[in-house]
């Protein structure tokens, strides 16, 4: 990932911030299974990961992924959470599918890294963001396996389902304020 070609202000603010954040997340996660191997920070605006010969989940047609694939994705996400990393922005372009069915995740630019001695606020934020990761994975499971969204979300813990419900209500309110019809 390289922000060097971005405009000066973007490169020196957002570029530095996101590269630093992503490097900390990769370093904290270490060699977590399913995570693209981190090769290092190459400069203030650049980092490198190993190449993974895979395609983004987004390139698969809806209903094309197996339930087992998403079980492996859930295991990758759980491994990141155990290492103290919440992706917090997981989407179908961040999930790679290898030819052998292996699952990899990339793009930790928005990841939240739990510090070595987190306070209650940091722990609470981490819990919310890990719930968001599980929610995102469940919604992808529904979209790419043919599960209904309700069925996929039923497997989540109640806190994640409440988070999803609150988000849907806020989005509905926002849509109404913009005059957008459902």
């Amino acid at each position: 990932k390289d922000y060097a070609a971005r405009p000066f202000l973007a490169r020196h603010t957002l570029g530095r911030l996101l590269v630093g954040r992503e490097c900390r997340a990769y370093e904290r996660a270490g060699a977590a299974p399913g995570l693209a191997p981190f090769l290092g920070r190459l400069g203030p605006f650049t980092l490198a990961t190993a190449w993974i010969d895979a395609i983004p989940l987004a390139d698969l047609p809806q209903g094309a992924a197996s339930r087992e694939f998403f079980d492996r994705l859930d295991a990758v996400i759980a491994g990141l959470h155990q290492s103290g990393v919440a992706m917090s922005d997981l989407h179908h372009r961040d999930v790679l599918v290898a030819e052998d069915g292996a699952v990899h995740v990339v793009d930790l630019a928005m990841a939240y890294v739990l510090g070595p001695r987190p306070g209650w606020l940091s722990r609470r934020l981490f819990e919310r963001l890990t719930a968001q990761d599980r929610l995102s994975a469940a919604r992808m499971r529904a979209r790419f396996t043919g599960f209904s969204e309700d069925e996929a979300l039923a497997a989540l813990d109640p806190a994640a389902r409440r988070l999803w419900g609150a988000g849907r209500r806020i989005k509905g309110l926002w849509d109404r304020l913009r005059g957008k019809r459902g």
Side-chain angles (χ1 to χ4, degrees), residues 59-70:
D59 290 352
L60 294 180
Q62 291 185 7
S66 69
R67 292 175 185 215
E68 293 77 22
F69 172 85
F70 283 97

Side-chain angles (χ1 to χ4, degrees), residues 1 22 26 35-40 42 47-52 106-107:
K1 187 174 284 185
E22 193 160 2
Y26 274 108
L35 184 63
F38 180 57
L39 301 177
L42 305 178
L47 66 91
T49 62
W51 175 259
I52 296 175
V106 294
D107 191 3

Side-chain angles (χ1 to χ4, degrees), residues 70-163:
F70 283 97
D71 292 342
R72 291 190 296 275
L73 175 60
D74 290 342
V76 169
I77 293 168
L80 287 172
H81 294 168
Q82 287 174 343
S83 70
V85 175
M87 291 189 70
S88 76
D89 184 33
L90 178 66
H91 52 78
H92 58 291
R93 291 177 305 278
D94 297 337
V95 178
L96 303 180
V97 184
E99 201 170 293
D100 65 358
V103 178
H104 302 278
V105 294
V106 294
D107 191 3
L108 300 180
M110 296 306 295
Y112 182 79
V113 176
L114 194 60
R117 293 189 321 198
W120 70 269
L121 185 58
S122 293
R123 282 192 306 275
R124 180 72 175 129
L125 178 58
F126 184 73
E127 289 168 8
R128 292 289 262 188
L129 294 174
T130 58
Q132 180 62 42
D133 289 348
R134 291 189 302 274
L135 171 66
S136 296
R139 294 190 70 221
M140 279 188 271
R141 179 184 291 261
R143 178 176 178 189
F144 288 96
T145 64
F147 260 165
S148 73
E149 194 167 81
D150 289 338
E151 185 180 2
L153 294 174
L156 296 178
D157 55 35
R161 286 195 307 269
R162 281 192 305 276
L163 179 65

